[in-house]
Amino acid sequence: MSTTTYTVKGMTCGHCVSSVKEEVGEVPGVTGVEVELSTGLLTVDSESPVDPAKIVAAVEEAGYKVVR
């Protein structure tokens, strides 16, 4: 099991959180997604490490940015 955290910029409401969770949850290999609106913290669980570029692309697809 692998857990990785990212910081997402631009989320302002519960709908934002839902959009990010939905997009990231569709990335192959992802088994769990948690998003904390107040901090922008995105926690991704997976069976094995997932390419960070795929997570970043999913967040961007939802309309937000990952802060590196």
Side-chain angles (χ1 to χ4, degrees):
M1 178 118 167
S2 176
T3 300
T4 310
T5 57
Y6 303 85
T7 302
V8 179
K9 185 176 178 181
M11 297 185 298
T12 59
C13 65
H15 182 265
C16 302
V17 169
S18 296
S19 295
V20 171
K21 286 179 83 168
E22 182 178 336
E23 289 296 334
V24 173
E26 292 178 2
V27 174
V30 170
T31 58
V33 180
E34 291 297 324
V35 181
E36 189 173 317
L37 179 60
S38 62
T39 61
L41 193 65
L42 165 64
T43 304
V44 179
D45 295 324
S46 57
E47 290 297 325
S48 60
V50 174
D51 181 358
K54 291 182 179 180
I55 301 301
V56 170
V59 170
E60 290 176 351
E61 180 68 26
Y64 308 97
K65 297 283 183 195
V66 172
V67 180
R68 299 189 187 233

